[in-house]
Amino acid sequence: MLRLLLGLNLALQAADWVLTYHGLARGFEEGNVFLAHLMTQVGVGPALVLVKGLSCVCLLGVFGTAPATAWLGFLVVTPLMTTAVLSWLTLLMGWW
């Protein structure tokens, strides 16, 4: 089950990466202040690679911890990432 959650979270990270890139290309603004600032410093592509890559490394680190810790980590991260992906989908599909 933990492998399934890891796969789901890695897929959500990838989806958020792609949707963020397309959303910014269409003129939407990044809501994460840290990421938006980083984008102005190093560019959109490099900032997304850096932040999403670091997020994936952190997920793999959580997966490598004790099962109880991994469950807690995934219970926190999964809803947050799902919300981020759904937010971009809502904007890009014109539902909001």
Side-chain angles (χ1 to χ4, degrees):
M1 187 63 165
L2 282 176
R3 287 180 191 256
L4 178 64
L5 282 172
L6 175 64
L8 172 65
N9 278 279
L10 290 173
L12 286 169
Q13 288 291 337
D16 187 47
W17 180 1
V18 170
L19 292 170
T20 300
Y21 189 84
H22 285 290
L24 295 172
R26 291 189 180 177
F28 292 104
E29 294 182 14
E30 172 58 47
N32 179 325
V33 177
F34 169 76
L35 184 54
H37 177 72
L38 187 60
M39 288 175 180
T40 64
Q41 300 302 309
V42 299
V44 172
L48 287 173
V49 168
L50 179 66
V51 170
K52 293 302 170 184
L54 181 60
S55 297
C56 290
V57 167
C58 289
L59 283 170
L60 292 170
V62 167
F63 181 73
T65 63
T69 305
W71 274 106
L72 180 61
F74 287 132
L75 286 175
V76 170
V77 171
T78 305
L80 293 173
M81 286 309 305
T82 303
T83 302
V85 168
L86 290 176
S87 297
W88 276 118
L89 282 174
T90 300
L91 288 172
L92 292 171
M93 299 298 282
W95 295 334
W96 188 261

